[in-house]
mmCIF file of all heavy atoms in Angstrom:
data_model
loop_
_atom_site.group_PDB
_atom_site.id
_atom_site.type_symbol
_atom_site.label_atom_id
_atom_site.label_comp_id
_atom_site.label_asym_id
_atom_site.label_seq_id
_atom_site.Cartn_x
_atom_site.Cartn_y
_atom_site.Cartn_z
ATOM 1 N N ASP A 534 -19.185 5.591 -3.844
ATOM 2 C CA ASP A 534 -18.411 5.856 -5.055
ATOM 3 C C ASP A 534 -18.316 7.367 -5.301
ATOM 4 O O ASP A 534 -19.340 8.055 -5.375
ATOM 5 C CB ASP A 534 -19.114 5.175 -6.234
ATOM 6 C CG ASP A 534 -18.222 5.024 -7.456
ATOM 7 O OD1 ASP A 534 -17.402 5.927 -7.706
ATOM 8 O OD2 ASP A 534 -18.343 4.014 -8.163
ATOM 9 N N ASP A 535 -17.101 7.866 -5.397
ATOM 10 C CA ASP A 535 -16.864 9.271 -5.758
ATOM 11 C C ASP A 535 -17.430 10.269 -4.738
ATOM 12 O O ASP A 535 -17.895 11.351 -5.112
ATOM 13 C CB ASP A 535 -17.465 9.595 -7.138
ATOM 14 C CG ASP A 535 -16.596 9.086 -8.276
ATOM 15 O OD1 ASP A 535 -15.630 8.349 -8.015
ATOM 16 O OD2 ASP A 535 -16.901 9.412 -9.439
ATOM 17 N N VAL A 536 -17.422 9.920 -3.468
ATOM 18 C CA VAL A 536 -17.907 10.824 -2.432
ATOM 19 C C VAL A 536 -16.707 11.518 -1.788
ATOM 20 O O VAL A 536 -15.769 10.865 -1.354
ATOM 21 C CB VAL A 536 -18.719 10.076 -1.364
ATOM 22 C CG1 VAL A 536 -19.177 11.038 -0.272
ATOM 23 C CG2 VAL A 536 -19.930 9.410 -2.006
ATOM 24 N N GLY A 537 -16.745 12.822 -1.720
ATOM 25 C CA GLY A 537 -15.615 13.571 -1.190
ATOM 26 C C GLY A 537 -15.478 13.488 0.317
ATOM 27 O O GLY A 537 -16.410 13.120 1.042
ATOM 28 N N GLN A 709 -21.917 7.769 -5.386
ATOM 29 C CA GLN A 709 -22.437 8.941 -6.060
ATOM 30 C C GLN A 709 -21.815 9.177 -7.448
ATOM 31 O O GLN A 709 -21.701 10.318 -7.886
ATOM 32 C CB GLN A 709 -22.129 10.182 -5.212
ATOM 33 C CG GLN A 709 -22.648 10.147 -3.792
ATOM 34 C CD GLN A 709 -24.127 10.373 -3.730
ATOM 35 O OE1 GLN A 709 -24.869 9.439 -3.501
ATOM 36 N NE2 GLN A 709 -24.570 11.563 -4.006
ATOM 37 N N HIS A 710 -21.432 8.124 -8.117
ATOM 38 C CA HIS A 710 -20.779 8.268 -9.416
ATOM 39 C C HIS A 710 -21.757 8.845 -10.441
ATOM 40 O O HIS A 710 -22.960 8.605 -10.380
ATOM 41 C CB HIS A 710 -20.269 6.902 -9.883
ATOM 42 C CG HIS A 710 -19.236 6.955 -10.953
ATOM 43 N ND1 HIS A 710 -19.521 7.314 -12.250
ATOM 44 C CD2 HIS A 710 -17.914 6.672 -10.914
ATOM 45 C CE1 HIS A 710 -18.401 7.249 -12.966
ATOM 46 N NE2 HIS A 710 -17.414 6.869 -12.183
ATOM 47 N N ALA A 711 -21.219 9.605 -11.390
ATOM 48 C CA ALA A 711 -22.030 10.085 -12.502
ATOM 49 C C ALA A 711 -22.524 8.885 -13.325
ATOM 50 O O ALA A 711 -21.871 7.841 -13.324
ATOM 51 C CB ALA A 711 -21.188 11.029 -13.368
ATOM 52 N N ASN A 769 -12.651 6.805 -3.457
ATOM 53 C CA ASN A 769 -11.663 7.848 -3.778
ATOM 54 C C ASN A 769 -12.290 9.200 -3.462
ATOM 55 O O ASN A 769 -13.456 9.277 -3.069
ATOM 56 C CB ASN A 769 -11.222 7.802 -5.250
ATOM 57 C CG ASN A 769 -12.355 7.641 -6.243
ATOM 58 O OD1 ASN A 769 -12.478 6.603 -6.897
ATOM 59 N ND2 ASN A 769 -13.202 8.651 -6.361
ATOM 60 N N GLY A 770 -11.517 10.255 -3.644
ATOM 61 C CA GLY A 770 -12.050 11.587 -3.421
ATOM 62 C C GLY A 770 -13.097 11.949 -4.455
ATOM 63 O O GLY A 770 -13.285 11.255 -5.452
ATOM 64 N N GLY A 771 -13.794 13.037 -4.213
ATOM 65 C CA GLY A 771 -14.862 13.443 -5.106
ATOM 66 C C GLY A 771 -14.372 14.186 -6.338
ATOM 67 O O GLY A 771 -13.437 14.986 -6.258
ATOM 68 N N PRO A 772 -15.000 13.933 -7.484
ATOM 69 C CA PRO A 772 -14.710 14.696 -8.708
ATOM 70 C C PRO A 772 -15.538 15.970 -8.724
ATOM 71 O O PRO A 772 -16.516 16.088 -9.465
ATOM 72 C CB PRO A 772 -15.124 13.730 -9.817
ATOM 73 C CG PRO A 772 -16.266 12.976 -9.215
ATOM 74 C CD PRO A 772 -15.987 12.877 -7.733
ATOM 75 N N THR A 773 -15.173 16.916 -7.907
ATOM 76 C CA THR A 773 -16.016 18.067 -7.572
ATOM 77 C C THR A 773 -16.716 18.747 -8.750
ATOM 78 O O THR A 773 -17.931 18.943 -8.704
ATOM 79 C CB THR A 773 -15.177 19.101 -6.787
ATOM 80 O OG1 THR A 773 -14.656 18.442 -5.622
ATOM 81 C CG2 THR A 773 -16.012 20.275 -6.357
ATOM 82 N N PRO A 774 -16.038 19.122 -9.819
ATOM 83 C CA PRO A 774 -16.733 19.871 -10.883
ATOM 84 C C PRO A 774 -17.890 19.104 -11.514
ATOM 85 O O PRO A 774 -18.914 19.696 -11.855
ATOM 86 C CB PRO A 774 -15.620 20.128 -11.909
ATOM 87 C CG PRO A 774 -14.354 20.036 -11.130
ATOM 88 C CD PRO A 774 -14.598 18.971 -10.105
ATOM 89 N N SER A 775 -17.763 17.800 -11.667
ATOM 90 C CA SER A 775 -18.786 17.043 -12.389
ATOM 91 C C SER A 775 -19.969 16.634 -11.525
ATOM 92 O O SER A 775 -21.061 16.408 -12.042
ATOM 93 C CB SER A 775 -18.172 15.800 -13.034
ATOM 94 O OG SER A 775 -17.666 14.928 -12.052
ATOM 95 N N THR A 776 -19.777 16.532 -10.195
ATOM 96 C CA THR A 776 -20.870 16.038 -9.365
ATOM 97 C C THR A 776 -21.199 16.924 -8.157
ATOM 98 O O THR A 776 -22.128 16.608 -7.417
ATOM 99 C CB THR A 776 -20.558 14.632 -8.830
ATOM 100 O OG1 THR A 776 -19.459 14.699 -7.919
ATOM 101 C CG2 THR A 776 -20.249 13.665 -9.960
ATOM 102 N N THR A 777 -20.446 17.958 -7.892
ATOM 103 C CA THR A 777 -20.561 18.864 -6.738
ATOM 104 C C THR A 777 -19.990 18.263 -5.466
ATOM 105 O O THR A 777 -20.115 18.849 -4.388
ATOM 106 C CB THR A 777 -22.011 19.319 -6.441
ATOM 107 O OG1 THR A 777 -22.745 18.287 -5.758
ATOM 108 C CG2 THR A 777 -22.738 19.735 -7.706
ATOM 109 N N SER A 778 -19.380 17.091 -5.529
ATOM 110 C CA SER A 778 -18.799 16.461 -4.343
ATOM 111 C C SER A 778 -17.806 17.402 -3.678
ATOM 112 O O SER A 778 -17.060 18.117 -4.341
ATOM 113 C CB SER A 778 -18.100 15.163 -4.728
ATOM 114 O OG SER A 778 -17.171 15.395 -5.763
ATOM 115 N N ASN A 780 -14.631 17.973 -1.032
ATOM 116 C CA ASN A 780 -13.494 17.319 -0.392
ATOM 117 C C ASN A 780 -13.024 18.046 0.860
ATOM 118 O O ASN A 780 -11.920 17.797 1.357
ATOM 119 C CB ASN A 780 -12.345 17.167 -1.395
ATOM 120 C CG ASN A 780 -12.691 16.199 -2.515
ATOM 121 O OD1 ASN A 780 -13.241 15.137 -2.261
ATOM 122 N ND2 ASN A 780 -12.405 16.570 -3.756
ATOM 123 N N PHE A 786 -8.554 16.154 -5.927
ATOM 124 C CA PHE A 786 -9.832 15.494 -6.164
ATOM 125 C C PHE A 786 -9.549 14.131 -6.770
ATOM 126 O O PHE A 786 -8.386 13.709 -6.903
ATOM 127 C CB PHE A 786 -10.700 16.344 -7.101
ATOM 128 C CG PHE A 786 -9.914 17.029 -8.186
ATOM 129 C CD1 PHE A 786 -9.553 16.362 -9.337
ATOM 130 C CD2 PHE A 786 -9.498 18.349 -8.032
ATOM 131 C CE1 PHE A 786 -8.803 16.984 -10.327
ATOM 132 C CE2 PHE A 786 -8.747 18.997 -9.018
ATOM 133 C CZ PHE A 786 -8.397 18.292 -10.165
ATOM 134 N N LYS A 787 -10.612 13.431 -7.128
ATOM 135 C CA LYS A 787 -10.480 12.109 -7.745
ATOM 136 C C LYS A 787 -9.441 12.125 -8.868
ATOM 137 O O LYS A 787 -9.328 13.096 -9.608
ATOM 138 C CB LYS A 787 -11.838 11.688 -8.313
ATOM 139 C CG LYS A 787 -11.829 10.376 -9.090
ATOM 140 C CD LYS A 787 -13.203 10.079 -9.669
ATOM 141 C CE LYS A 787 -13.190 8.790 -10.474
ATOM 142 N NZ LYS A 787 -14.530 8.458 -11.009
#
Side-chain angles (χ1 to χ4, degrees):
D534 197 324
D535 282 9
V536 178
Q709 304 285 106
H710 198 289
N769 45 248
T773 302
S775 63
T776 67
T777 78
S778 53
N780 293 316
F786 38 82
K787 175 183 179 178

